[in-house]
Amino acid sequence: MCTECVLADVISDEIRRRRTFAIISHPDAGKTTLTEKLLLYSGAIDLAGSVRAKKDQRHATSDWMELERQRGISVTSTVLQFEYAGHVLNLLDTPGHEDFSEDTYRTLTAADNAVMLIDAAKGIEPQTRKLFEVCRMRGIPIFTLINKMDRPAREPLDLLDELEKVFGISTFAMNWPLGNGSSFKGVYDRRERQMHLYQRTEHGATKAPVIVTAPDSPECAALVDSATHKQFLEEMELLDMAGDKFDRDMLASGKLTPVYFGSAVNNFGVKLFLDSFLKLGIQPGPHEAAHGPVEPNYPHFTGFVFKIQANMDPKHRDSVAFLRVCSGRFEKDMQVHHSRLGTKMRLSRPHKLFARDRDTVDEAYPGDILGLVNPGAFAIGDCVSANGPVQYAGIPRFAPEHFGTLRCPDPSAHKKFRTGLDQLKQEGAVQLFYPAGAGSTREPIIAVVGRLQFDVIQFRLKSEYNVDTVFEPSNMKYARWVEGSDEDITKMSLTIGSRLVEDPEGRAAVLFDGDWALSRTAEKNPKLTFSTVVPG
């Protein structure tokens, strides 16, 4: 068989093995806990940590920034690659905190699937809505896990109904819970028609022992009161009578979400979910490029950078570019074409990422995420390829929602302050605006998608650059880039509560302190467009 044919077969086999996904959730829905338990059941770790641990206990594997460890939350996106049941899973661990960053949005551009985590007591919450809409915009298939069934929870049928009404998406219950709160004992696998009854382990640190039986078995009935067992059997009958069928095509198009119930903290239903996800999850598919879609089995390596992160490892103090492999086979030391720079470069230090840990990787396939040491050559959205230039669709840049000024009171640290801000801007952690026409000495206005990023920025400037800063919040609420002729922009009429600025590339923008200022300014300037996205 020819060498090209062998390579094509290898690439096709590796594509079938891969599942690349992100977990999306509102704060405190259990995202980091679920991440740990997926690693536990895959064998990637032997003992699950806990974000609720005391200071002298273990920290969550996926959280690497010291600020995350101090607060017990995730504020940056990390990548975790692990193997399970003959598959390679690439988990893009996105922040779930209420004040998440633009980094969360960008990371979803590298995912083929999304796992939406819902609190069984609270149902759909605001942050989940935002992230769901981003997934819908990209057509990402969504798997729903309703978590925390070990606590008093809403009725499962009510939760399914809410999903369908709020998101306008069809649901299919893949399993069904027996009891809730302290009486939650297990889940019924509807496709295999088997009841999985679990036993709790200390702190949920190890896999939960499970008994597999029939839903009407004596073992099942003995675990809960008769009313709970009767309700469970009636709901099972009701679901079967409804006659709904699982449609994989609807899942792939984002029109249907399979729904699972469980308790990540106690490991109830985690393995069932993971096994089902391997069967139903979407393998890496085509990515849209300027000349048309690029299939993953295209024989030549291509990829794009969706994230830049500096100083992940204090020992190295370097910058890492996160690159999604889109097609072909990546090989260490291969020479590639850098589309934005129009030059060729050798990728000689690629890493496989596991949170902050790095292992040198010799090869990678579509769906994999590579960490590339970045001496300043890469920016978010950059594309590389082994066979001439390729340009994938741009990474979306979202309008910030919070604004303020950051000053460095120590003149001797001003250079380090500027260096740190430039690095954070390159990563996409912060957007910068400058007062229009203020000259080169002007102080920047910093803008972020989530308010927590202000704390992250100050923390990183101090920990990574030893720069103390003073932050002053602004009452501005919106940023809009201005599109139109230079003459019309120059003559633009502003209203009270609006401020003309420009971004680092010199593009005109306006900051507004509320809806009235935005709408009134738009009315007074009908020839101009005020856009939430950066003009092309």
Side-chain angles (χ1 to χ4, degrees), residues 45-61:
I45 59 176
D46 297 322
L47 202 64
S50 173
V51 293
R52 303 182 187 282
K54 296 179 181 179
K55 290 183 179 180
D56 60 342
Q57 293 177 324
R58 297 173 181 82
H59 292 286
T61 300

Side-chain angles (χ1 to χ4, degrees), residues 444-522:
I445 299 166
I446 62 174
V448 296
V449 170
R451 189 178 295 277
L452 179 67
Q453 288 305 106
F454 290 136
D455 293 342
V456 173
I457 291 164
Q458 287 189 278
F459 180 88
R460 291 188 58 191
L461 286 172
K462 176 61 178 177
S463 64
E464 298 171 17
Y465 298 92
N466 196 29
V467 174
D468 290 304
T469 55
V470 176
F471 173 72
E472 296 177 0
S474 166
N475 64 343
M476 294 299 177
K477 295 181 179 179
Y478 306 117
R480 297 292 185 266
W481 282 271
V482 185
E483 297 181 75
S485 68
D486 292 341
E487 180 181 1
D488 289 331
I489 292 176
T490 301
K491 295 179 178 179
M492 178 169 39
S493 177
L494 297 175
T495 59
I496 296 174
S498 60
R499 183 179 184 184
L500 181 63
V501 295
E502 58 185 47
D503 66 15
E505 287 72 38
R507 293 177 288 239
V510 179
L511 306 184
F512 301 97
D513 67 2
D515 294 326
W516 182 86
L518 173 56
S519 60
R520 183 65 181 133
T521 301

Side-chain angles (χ1 to χ4, degrees), residues 248-324:
R248 189 162 186 173
D249 290 336
M250 288 182 66
L251 166 66
S253 62
K255 296 177 181 178
L256 177 145
T257 178
V259 180
Y260 307 79
F261 293 85
S263 167
V265 72
N266 290 305
N267 304 322
F268 288 15
V270 172
K271 184 178 185 299
L272 273 180
F273 166 75
L274 186 55
D275 289 340
S276 180
F277 176 73
L278 290 187
K279 294 177 182 178
L280 303 177
I282 305 302
Q283 67 184 36
H287 274 73
E288 195 65 36
H291 63 279
V294 177
E295 296 292 336
N297 57 3
Y298 175 62
H300 302 290
F301 161 72
T302 67
F304 67 88
V305 174
F306 65 92
K307 172 183 171 67
I308 303 287
Q309 183 70 58
N311 303 326
M312 288 180 67
D313 188 343
K315 296 179 182 179
H316 297 292
R317 291 295 185 186
D318 56 7
S319 174
V320 176
F322 288 64
L323 182 137
R324 156 74 192 235

Side-chain angles (χ1 to χ4, degrees), residues 67-80:
L67 180 63
E68 295 177 313
R69 296 172 183 265
Q70 291 175 5
R71 297 194 180 191
I73 56 174
S74 298
V75 296
T76 59
S77 298
T78 57
V79 177
L80 303 164

